[in-house]
């Protein structure tokens, strides 16, 4: 939509910019995923940038919504701080974490420099772009040229030669970024071998293009200069032999097997020590944030040690652990073209403890944080990341059945054979994964996994947040609820007593194995008491206990 060009940046322009950047990344997402070869060729950079920007844009919209339909509107400081915070808490992957720091760096300058009119000119925007590039580079443990860091620095340098209106500065930054992006294959060997530009840098060009549109009203051509031997496709440099759905070669010889990301509440001194420890554990270390809240990203072989380091530094939460598929882990020598594995499992899990358990069993996991279920685009991305011809999808939540079905359809349209097993709880997913055998025929494997999941009764113990009607009667806020197969069956005042009643009712119908998944807010003695009760009252029934982390429920119970 055409608009009057702006010589300044205000809150409304920031809102327009965030929305435009989200749309631009949405259009380019699959193409950016396809050229993702560094630091790991896991084909998710476009999706990670999109999800990070989606969180930033949602935060800005929430600030505007807070003012309702009145004549007032948020200040520029309100808008850019919301943008930075939204990006920080929603950052995904290496590229998304760096984008979050770029937006935070800009916000630090813009929030502290708006005048009485609630706006800044091109001079301040230039300073914001420079601070963003510098702070992003400082956040990366070992900066590498030919990446998004190079593109951001080039954008900041180009902006320094522009005039004093925001339009001129934004245009110069965008053009400088495009030029730098086209040069990345000559700066980073893995990009040159694949014939592609840096995926993260390509995303930044899209974000800066949206900034140009927000302040000038001009439509920016979403194109880039092709690398030698390549072709331009949707603005991303593509090797002539690579299609959009292709997955590029690995990046560097030798490398860790897990990506670990978490938010961390900690002080500056503790984070400085954390950087040193994580740097010794792995690579691709990026720590962004400040003021007591940080987003930590690292690639390691020992995911548990990376999480433990966060626990020592402060309070980590929203922990995401991704096990790179065998084809994603770097191998020695000249990297071969990646071959799809025959079969993989993708599972949605409610807590970081189970994420680690599932990942160790070889599954690709998607963490469902309390109150934040994954979107279909996130599940579809996980199905692609599994890089298999056949994928078994375990949603582990009845509320996700439509989302999971939509993601499965997206993957099937791309030629992936997907079987959706309608697991309603993570304990059913554990049962299904226990009988999974990749060597069996796909249909037979799915039948066995479905049978195991279906034979597992599931329950959860939670605390009621408000008074409400349930199938077991009226509960009050603070009551302990025991849900069996999705319905409230027990209401009680005590956690241990309620859990025992739930377990007894489940075992009345028989069972051979009890699975307990304990949340991090559940006292240690609860699991001990339940184990003792099974041992004393139910002969020939075994019990296994897992630590689920921040999983929403105090306790998950499975009986099979």
């Amino acid at each position: 939509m055409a608009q009057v060009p702006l010589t300044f940046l205000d809150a409304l322009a920031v809102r327009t910019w965030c929305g435009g950047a989200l749309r631009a990344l949405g259009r380019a997402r699959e193409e950016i995923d396809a050229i993702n070869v560094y630091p790991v060729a896991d084909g998710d950079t476009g999706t990670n940038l999109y999800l990070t920007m989606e969180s930033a844009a949602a935060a800005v919209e929430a600030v505007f919504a807070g003012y309702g339909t009145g004549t007032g509107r948020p200040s520029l400081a309100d808008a850019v701080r919301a943008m930075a915070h939204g990006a920080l808490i929603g950052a995904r992957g290496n590229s998304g974490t760096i984008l979050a720091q770029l937006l935070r760096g800009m916000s630090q300058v813009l929030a502290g420099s708006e005048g009485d009119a609630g706006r800044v000119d091109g001079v301040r925007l230039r300073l914001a772009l420079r601070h963003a590039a510098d702070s992003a580079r400082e956040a990366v443990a070992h900066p590498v040229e030919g990446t998004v860091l190079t593109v951001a620095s080039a954008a900041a340098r180009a902006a320094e030669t522009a005039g004093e209106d925001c339009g001129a500065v934004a245009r110069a930054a965008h053009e400088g970024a495009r030029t730098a992006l086209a040069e990345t294959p000559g700066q980073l060997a893995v990009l040159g071998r694949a014939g592609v530009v840096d995926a993260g840098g390509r995303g930044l060009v899209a974000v800066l293009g949206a900034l140009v549109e927000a302040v000038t009203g001009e439509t920016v051509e979403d194109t880039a200069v092709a690398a030698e031997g390549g072709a331009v496709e949707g603005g991303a440099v593509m090797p002539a032999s690579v299609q959009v759905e292709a997955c590029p070669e690995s990046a560097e010889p030798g490398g860790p097997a897990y990506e670990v990301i978490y938010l961390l509440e900690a002080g500056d001194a503790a984070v400085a020590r954390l950087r040193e420890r994580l740097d010794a554990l792995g690579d691709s270390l990026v720590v962004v944030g400040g003021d007591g809240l940080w987003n930590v990203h690292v690639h390691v072989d020992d995911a548990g040690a990376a999480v433990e380091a966060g626990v020592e530094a402060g309070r980590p939460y929203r922990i995401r652990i991704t096990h790179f598929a065998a084809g994603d882990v770097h191998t020695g020598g000249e990297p071969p073209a990646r071959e799809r594995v025959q079969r993989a499992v993708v599972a949605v899990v409610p807590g970081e403890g189970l994420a680690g358990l599932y990942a160790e069993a070889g599954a690709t996991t998607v963490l469902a944080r309390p109150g934040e279920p994954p979107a279909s685009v996130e599940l579809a991305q996980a199905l692609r990341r599994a890089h298999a011809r056949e994928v078994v999808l375990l949603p582990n939540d009845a509320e996700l059945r439509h989302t999971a079905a939509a993601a499965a359809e997206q993957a099937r349209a791309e030629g992936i054979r997907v079987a959706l097993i309608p697991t309603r709880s993570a304990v059913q997913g554990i049962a299904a994964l226990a009988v999974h055998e990749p060597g069996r025929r796909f249909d037979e494997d799915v039948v066995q996994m479905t049978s195991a999941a279906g034979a597992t009764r599931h329950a959860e113990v939670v605390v009621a947040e408000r008074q409400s009607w349930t199938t077991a009667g009226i509960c009050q806020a603070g009551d302990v609820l025991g849900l069996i197969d999705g319905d409230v069956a027990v209401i009680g005042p005590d956690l241990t007593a309620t859990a025992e009643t739930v377990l007894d009712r489940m075992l009345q119908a028989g069972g051979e194995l009890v699975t307990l998944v304990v949340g991090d807010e559940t006292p240690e003695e609860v699991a001990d008491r339940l184990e003792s009760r099974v041992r004393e009252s139910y002969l020939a029934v075994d019990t296994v206990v897992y630590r689920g982390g921040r999983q929403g429920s105090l306790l998950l119970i499975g009986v099979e």
Side-chain angles (χ1 to χ4, degrees), residues 311-345:
V311 172
E312 291 181 5
R315 187 177 78 88
Y317 61 103
R318 292 193 183 179
I319 301 170
R320 298 170 56 85
I321 300 173
T322 300
H323 179 257
F324 296 127
D328 289 326
V329 179
H330 311 318
T331 55
E334 185 65 23
R338 271 185 41 176
E339 292 290 337
R340 287 184 180 274
V341 297
Q342 183 61 31
R343 190 173 309 158
V345 176

mmCIF file of all heavy atoms in Angstrom, residues 311-345:
data_model
loop_
_atom_site.group_PDB
_atom_site.id
_atom_site.type_symbol
_atom_site.label_atom_id
_atom_site.label_comp_id
_atom_site.label_asym_id
_atom_site.label_seq_id
_atom_site.Cartn_x
_atom_site.Cartn_y
_atom_site.Cartn_z
ATOM 1 N N VAL A 311 21.779 -24.196 34.630
ATOM 2 C CA VAL A 311 21.251 -24.299 35.995
ATOM 3 C C VAL A 311 22.228 -23.683 36.988
ATOM 4 O O VAL A 311 21.826 -23.002 37.939
ATOM 5 C CB VAL A 311 20.975 -25.772 36.353
ATOM 6 C CG1 VAL A 311 20.608 -25.915 37.822
ATOM 7 C CG2 VAL A 311 19.857 -26.332 35.469
ATOM 8 N N GLU A 312 23.509 -23.891 36.770
ATOM 9 C CA GLU A 312 24.512 -23.314 37.660
ATOM 10 C C GLU A 312 24.556 -21.794 37.532
ATOM 11 O O GLU A 312 24.850 -21.086 38.500
ATOM 12 C CB GLU A 312 25.885 -23.903 37.348
ATOM 13 C CG GLU A 312 26.017 -25.375 37.721
ATOM 14 C CD GLU A 312 27.398 -25.913 37.420
ATOM 15 O OE1 GLU A 312 28.267 -25.102 37.015
ATOM 16 O OE2 GLU A 312 27.610 -27.121 37.585
ATOM 17 N N ALA A 313 24.250 -21.274 36.336
ATOM 18 C CA ALA A 313 24.314 -19.833 36.107
ATOM 19 C C ALA A 313 23.069 -19.113 36.611
ATOM 20 O O ALA A 313 23.131 -17.940 36.994
ATOM 21 C CB ALA A 313 24.522 -19.539 34.623
ATOM 22 N N GLY A 314 21.924 -19.774 36.580
ATOM 23 C CA GLY A 314 20.682 -19.113 36.970
ATOM 24 C C GLY A 314 19.501 -20.050 36.822
ATOM 25 O O GLY A 314 19.569 -21.221 37.189
ATOM 26 N N ARG A 315 18.420 -19.546 36.212
ATOM 27 C CA ARG A 315 17.224 -20.371 36.023
ATOM 28 C C ARG A 315 16.927 -20.516 34.533
ATOM 29 O O ARG A 315 16.383 -19.618 33.907
ATOM 30 C CB ARG A 315 16.011 -19.754 36.716
ATOM 31 C CG ARG A 315 14.784 -20.667 36.696
ATOM 32 C CD ARG A 315 13.618 -20.062 37.453
ATOM 33 N NE ARG A 315 12.930 -19.041 36.699
ATOM 34 C CZ ARG A 315 11.919 -19.281 35.849
ATOM 35 N NH1 ARG A 315 11.495 -20.513 35.636
ATOM 36 N NH2 ARG A 315 11.331 -18.300 35.207
ATOM 37 N N PRO A 316 17.305 -21.649 33.938
ATOM 38 C CA PRO A 316 16.974 -21.868 32.534
ATOM 39 C C PRO A 316 15.547 -22.389 32.381
ATOM 40 O O PRO A 316 15.053 -23.148 33.224
ATOM 41 C CB PRO A 316 17.990 -22.932 32.100
ATOM 42 C CG PRO A 316 18.276 -23.698 33.351
ATOM 43 C CD PRO A 316 18.132 -22.720 34.495
ATOM 44 N N TYR A 317 14.870 -21.987 31.337
ATOM 45 C CA TYR A 317 13.539 -22.499 31.036
ATOM 46 C C TYR A 317 13.289 -22.390 29.546
ATOM 47 O O TYR A 317 14.123 -21.863 28.806
ATOM 48 C CB TYR A 317 12.456 -21.777 31.845
ATOM 49 C CG TYR A 317 12.345 -20.288 31.616
ATOM 50 C CD1 TYR A 317 11.330 -19.749 30.824
ATOM 51 C CD2 TYR A 317 13.239 -19.404 32.210
ATOM 52 C CE1 TYR A 317 11.224 -18.381 30.622
ATOM 53 C CE2 TYR A 317 13.131 -18.041 32.029
ATOM 54 C CZ TYR A 317 12.126 -17.528 31.227
ATOM 55 O OH TYR A 317 12.027 -16.173 31.026
ATOM 56 N N ARG A 318 12.145 -22.921 29.094
ATOM 57 C CA ARG A 318 11.862 -23.058 27.659
ATOM 58 C C ARG A 318 13.050 -23.708 26.952
ATOM 59 O O ARG A 318 13.545 -23.227 25.936
ATOM 60 C CB ARG A 318 11.548 -21.700 27.010
ATOM 61 C CG ARG A 318 10.232 -21.098 27.474
ATOM 62 C CD ARG A 318 9.838 -19.943 26.588
ATOM 63 N NE ARG A 318 8.627 -19.307 27.065
ATOM 64 C CZ ARG A 318 8.061 -18.253 26.494
ATOM 65 N NH1 ARG A 318 8.593 -17.736 25.421
ATOM 66 N NH2 ARG A 318 6.979 -17.722 26.995
ATOM 67 N N ILE A 319 13.493 -24.799 27.514
ATOM 68 C CA ILE A 319 14.665 -25.491 26.986
ATOM 69 C C ILE A 319 14.263 -26.309 25.756
ATOM 70 O O ILE A 319 13.294 -27.063 25.785
ATOM 71 C CB ILE A 319 15.283 -26.398 28.059
ATOM 72 C CG1 ILE A 319 15.680 -25.565 29.285
ATOM 73 C CG2 ILE A 319 16.483 -27.149 27.513
ATOM 74 C CD1 ILE A 319 16.082 -26.390 30.481
ATOM 75 N N ARG A 320 15.019 -26.146 24.679
ATOM 76 C CA ARG A 320 14.775 -26.884 23.434
ATOM 77 C C ARG A 320 16.045 -27.660 23.087
ATOM 78 O O ARG A 320 17.112 -27.067 22.947
ATOM 79 C CB ARG A 320 14.421 -25.942 22.280
ATOM 80 C CG ARG A 320 13.154 -25.145 22.498
ATOM 81 C CD ARG A 320 13.006 -24.063 21.428
ATOM 82 N NE ARG A 320 13.031 -24.629 20.091
ATOM 83 C CZ ARG A 320 11.973 -25.127 19.468
ATOM 84 N NH1 ARG A 320 10.800 -25.157 20.072
ATOM 85 N NH2 ARG A 320 12.066 -25.601 18.244
ATOM 86 N N ILE A 321 15.903 -28.970 22.945
ATOM 87 C CA ILE A 321 17.042 -29.811 22.571
ATOM 88 C C ILE A 321 16.694 -30.495 21.251
ATOM 89 O O ILE A 321 15.699 -31.218 21.162
ATOM 90 C CB ILE A 321 17.349 -30.865 23.646
ATOM 91 C CG1 ILE A 321 17.674 -30.181 24.981
ATOM 92 C CG2 ILE A 321 18.505 -31.761 23.207
ATOM 93 C CD1 ILE A 321 17.827 -31.147 26.137
ATOM 94 N N THR A 322 17.501 -30.264 20.236
ATOM 95 C CA THR A 322 17.275 -30.870 18.923
ATOM 96 C C THR A 322 18.434 -31.792 18.600
ATOM 97 O O THR A 322 19.602 -31.381 18.662
ATOM 98 C CB THR A 322 17.163 -29.795 17.824
ATOM 99 O OG1 THR A 322 16.074 -28.929 18.126
ATOM 100 C CG2 THR A 322 16.925 -30.443 16.468
ATOM 101 N N HIS A 323 18.113 -33.030 18.285
ATOM 102 C CA HIS A 323 19.133 -34.002 17.879
ATOM 103 C C HIS A 323 19.249 -33.939 16.370
ATOM 104 O O HIS A 323 18.304 -34.251 15.648
ATOM 105 C CB HIS A 323 18.735 -35.416 18.321
ATOM 106 C CG HIS A 323 19.709 -36.474 17.926
ATOM 107 N ND1 HIS A 323 19.493 -37.331 16.883
ATOM 108 C CD2 HIS A 323 20.925 -36.800 18.424
ATOM 109 C CE1 HIS A 323 20.516 -38.151 16.763
ATOM 110 N NE2 HIS A 323 21.395 -37.849 17.685
ATOM 111 N N PHE A 324 20.413 -33.489 15.884
ATOM 112 C CA PHE A 324 20.608 -33.443 14.447
ATOM 113 C C PHE A 324 20.558 -34.865 13.905
ATOM 114 O O PHE A 324 21.168 -35.776 14.464
ATOM 115 C CB PHE A 324 21.970 -32.826 14.086
ATOM 116 C CG PHE A 324 22.097 -31.390 14.505
ATOM 117 C CD1 PHE A 324 23.160 -30.966 15.277
ATOM 118 C CD2 PHE A 324 21.152 -30.458 14.124
ATOM 119 C CE1 PHE A 324 23.285 -29.645 15.666
ATOM 120 C CE2 PHE A 324 21.259 -29.134 14.511
ATOM 121 C CZ PHE A 324 22.334 -28.724 15.281
ATOM 122 N N ALA A 325 19.836 -35.039 12.794
ATOM 123 C CA ALA A 325 19.754 -36.370 12.181
ATOM 124 C C ALA A 325 21.154 -36.815 11.768
ATOM 125 O O ALA A 325 22.068 -36.015 11.608
ATOM 126 C CB ALA A 325 18.822 -36.334 10.965
ATOM 127 N N ALA A 326 21.300 -38.120 11.592
ATOM 128 C CA ALA A 326 22.620 -38.656 11.274
ATOM 129 C C ALA A 326 23.234 -37.949 10.084
ATOM 130 O O ALA A 326 24.434 -37.712 10.023
ATOM 131 C CB ALA A 326 22.522 -40.161 11.002
ATOM 132 N N GLY A 327 22.405 -37.565 9.125
ATOM 133 C CA GLY A 327 22.916 -36.865 7.958
ATOM 134 C C GLY A 327 23.274 -35.441 8.243
ATOM 135 O O GLY A 327 23.936 -34.785 7.451
ATOM 136 N N ASP A 328 22.839 -34.886 9.374
ATOM 137 C CA ASP A 328 23.144 -33.504 9.715
ATOM 138 C C ASP A 328 24.458 -33.388 10.478
ATOM 139 O O ASP A 328 25.091 -32.348 10.472
ATOM 140 C CB ASP A 328 22.029 -32.910 10.596
ATOM 141 C CG ASP A 328 20.752 -32.670 9.814
ATOM 142 O OD1 ASP A 328 20.856 -32.340 8.644
ATOM 143 O OD2 ASP A 328 19.673 -32.819 10.415
ATOM 144 N N VAL A 329 24.837 -34.437 11.194
ATOM 145 C CA VAL A 329 26.059 -34.376 11.978
ATOM 146 C C VAL A 329 27.240 -34.361 11.026
ATOM 147 O O VAL A 329 27.314 -35.144 10.101
ATOM 148 C CB VAL A 329 26.155 -35.573 12.936
ATOM 149 C CG1 VAL A 329 27.442 -35.508 13.740
ATOM 150 C CG2 VAL A 329 24.945 -35.602 13.848
ATOM 151 N N HIS A 330 28.195 -33.468 11.268
ATOM 152 C CA HIS A 330 29.309 -33.299 10.350
ATOM 153 C C HIS A 330 30.187 -34.539 10.337
ATOM 154 O O HIS A 330 30.425 -35.164 11.358
ATOM 155 C CB HIS A 330 30.134 -32.086 10.753
ATOM 156 C CG HIS A 330 29.288 -30.880 10.995
ATOM 157 N ND1 HIS A 330 28.243 -30.538 10.187
ATOM 158 C CD2 HIS A 330 29.332 -29.936 11.971
ATOM 159 C CE1 HIS A 330 27.689 -29.424 10.645
ATOM 160 N NE2 HIS A 330 28.330 -29.050 11.727
ATOM 161 N N THR A 331 30.692 -34.859 9.201
ATOM 162 C CA THR A 331 31.567 -36.014 9.060
ATOM 163 C C THR A 331 32.920 -35.563 8.554
ATOM 164 O O THR A 331 33.050 -34.516 7.930
ATOM 165 C CB THR A 331 30.971 -37.030 8.061
ATOM 166 O OG1 THR A 331 30.720 -36.370 6.824
ATOM 167 C CG2 THR A 331 29.669 -37.605 8.584
ATOM 168 N N GLY A 332 33.935 -36.390 8.808
ATOM 169 C CA GLY A 332 35.269 -36.016 8.384
ATOM 170 C C GLY A 332 35.429 -36.116 6.884
ATOM 171 O O GLY A 332 34.678 -36.779 6.173
ATOM 172 N N GLY A 333 36.459 -35.442 6.360
ATOM 173 C CA GLY A 333 36.741 -35.471 4.942
ATOM 174 C C GLY A 333 35.819 -34.582 4.149
ATOM 175 O O GLY A 333 35.078 -33.771 4.668
ATOM 176 N N GLU A 334 35.822 -34.751 2.835
ATOM 177 C CA GLU A 334 34.973 -33.946 1.965
ATOM 178 C C GLU A 334 33.527 -34.330 2.193
ATOM 179 O O GLU A 334 33.144 -35.487 2.061
ATOM 180 C CB GLU A 334 35.357 -34.188 0.496
ATOM 181 C CG GLU A 334 34.614 -33.295 -0.487
ATOM 182 C CD GLU A 334 34.971 -31.826 -0.316
ATOM 183 O OE1 GLU A 334 36.053 -31.529 0.227
ATOM 184 O OE2 GLU A 334 34.158 -30.980 -0.732
ATOM 185 N N PRO A 335 32.657 -33.397 2.569
ATOM 186 C CA PRO A 335 31.285 -33.749 2.912
ATOM 187 C C PRO A 335 30.510 -34.262 1.702
ATOM 188 O O PRO A 335 30.484 -33.623 0.665
ATOM 189 C CB PRO A 335 30.695 -32.420 3.418
ATOM 190 C CG PRO A 335 31.555 -31.358 2.834
ATOM 191 C CD PRO A 335 32.905 -31.949 2.700
ATOM 192 N N PRO A 336 29.900 -35.429 1.821
ATOM 193 C CA PRO A 336 29.129 -35.984 0.710
ATOM 194 C C PRO A 336 27.740 -35.368 0.660
ATOM 195 O O PRO A 336 27.292 -34.729 1.613
ATOM 196 C CB PRO A 336 29.033 -37.478 1.085
ATOM 197 C CG PRO A 336 29.013 -37.449 2.583
ATOM 198 C CD PRO A 336 29.900 -36.317 2.993
ATOM 199 N N ALA A 337 27.063 -35.570 -0.465
ATOM 200 C CA ALA A 337 25.673 -35.133 -0.556
ATOM 201 C C ALA A 337 24.848 -35.939 0.429
ATOM 202 O O ALA A 337 25.038 -37.142 0.588
ATOM 203 C CB ALA A 337 25.161 -35.335 -1.982
ATOM 204 N N ARG A 338 23.950 -35.257 1.103
ATOM 205 C CA ARG A 338 23.180 -35.927 2.142
ATOM 206 C C ARG A 338 22.158 -36.880 1.563
ATOM 207 O O ARG A 338 21.471 -36.562 0.608
ATOM 208 C CB ARG A 338 22.466 -34.897 3.012
ATOM 209 C CG ARG A 338 23.269 -34.428 4.166
ATOM 210 C CD ARG A 338 22.461 -33.503 5.041
ATOM 211 N NE ARG A 338 21.096 -33.975 5.208
ATOM 212 C CZ ARG A 338 20.216 -33.376 5.982
ATOM 213 N NH1 ARG A 338 20.541 -32.308 6.628
ATOM 214 N NH2 ARG A 338 18.986 -33.844 6.097
ATOM 215 N N GLU A 339 22.061 -38.048 2.141
ATOM 216 C CA GLU A 339 21.040 -39.020 1.777
ATOM 217 C C GLU A 339 19.971 -39.019 2.858
ATOM 218 O O GLU A 339 20.275 -38.957 4.044
ATOM 219 C CB GLU A 339 21.646 -40.418 1.658
ATOM 220 C CG GLU A 339 22.609 -40.585 0.489
ATOM 221 C CD GLU A 339 21.887 -40.559 -0.859
ATOM 222 O OE1 GLU A 339 20.668 -40.848 -0.884
ATOM 223 O OE2 GLU A 339 22.540 -40.249 -1.856
ATOM 224 N N ARG A 340 18.730 -39.104 2.440
ATOM 225 C CA ARG A 340 17.651 -39.199 3.419
ATOM 226 C C ARG A 340 17.716 -40.553 4.119
ATOM 227 O O ARG A 340 17.991 -41.576 3.501
ATOM 228 C CB ARG A 340 16.288 -39.073 2.732
ATOM 229 C CG ARG A 340 15.966 -37.670 2.260
ATOM 230 C CD ARG A 340 14.569 -37.625 1.676
ATOM 231 N NE ARG A 340 14.228 -36.299 1.226
ATOM 232 C CZ ARG A 340 13.715 -35.350 1.996
ATOM 233 N NH1 ARG A 340 13.495 -35.608 3.269
ATOM 234 N NH2 ARG A 340 13.424 -34.167 1.516
ATOM 235 N N VAL A 341 17.448 -40.547 5.429
ATOM 236 C CA VAL A 341 17.306 -41.817 6.120
ATOM 237 C C VAL A 341 15.947 -42.388 5.740
ATOM 238 O O VAL A 341 15.069 -41.686 5.241
ATOM 239 C CB VAL A 341 17.419 -41.636 7.648
ATOM 240 C CG1 VAL A 341 18.794 -41.124 8.014
ATOM 241 C CG2 VAL A 341 16.343 -40.703 8.173
ATOM 242 N N GLN A 342 15.782 -43.679 5.969
ATOM 243 C CA GLN A 342 14.536 -44.301 5.548
ATOM 244 C C GLN A 342 13.377 -43.876 6.433
ATOM 245 O O GLN A 342 12.288 -43.563 5.944
ATOM 246 C CB GLN A 342 14.662 -45.828 5.570
ATOM 247 C CG GLN A 342 13.420 -46.564 5.084
ATOM 248 C CD GLN A 342 13.075 -46.236 3.635
ATOM 249 O OE1 GLN A 342 13.965 -45.948 2.813
ATOM 250 N NE2 GLN A 342 11.788 -46.252 3.291
ATOM 251 N N ARG A 343 13.608 -43.863 7.768
ATOM 252 C CA ARG A 343 12.481 -43.623 8.665
ATOM 253 C C ARG A 343 12.927 -42.824 9.888
ATOM 254 O O ARG A 343 14.048 -42.976 10.366
ATOM 255 C CB ARG A 343 11.858 -44.934 9.120
ATOM 256 C CG ARG A 343 10.529 -44.791 9.866
ATOM 257 C CD ARG A 343 9.930 -46.169 10.114
ATOM 258 N NE ARG A 343 9.881 -46.933 8.867
ATOM 259 C CZ ARG A 343 9.815 -48.251 8.791
ATOM 260 N NH1 ARG A 343 9.781 -48.965 9.909
ATOM 261 N NH2 ARG A 343 9.766 -48.867 7.630
ATOM 262 N N ALA A 344 12.037 -41.983 10.379
ATOM 263 C CA ALA A 344 12.321 -41.185 11.571
ATOM 264 C C ALA A 344 11.037 -41.001 12.354
ATOM 265 O O ALA A 344 9.934 -41.259 11.856
ATOM 266 C CB ALA A 344 12.916 -39.831 11.185
ATOM 267 N N VAL A 345 11.195 -40.549 13.589
ATOM 268 C CA VAL A 345 10.056 -40.243 14.460
ATOM 269 C C VAL A 345 10.149 -38.781 14.866
ATOM 270 O O VAL A 345 11.220 -38.307 15.264
ATOM 271 C CB VAL A 345 10.044 -41.136 15.714
ATOM 272 C CG1 VAL A 345 8.907 -40.729 16.660
ATOM 273 C CG2 VAL A 345 9.920 -42.603 15.335
#
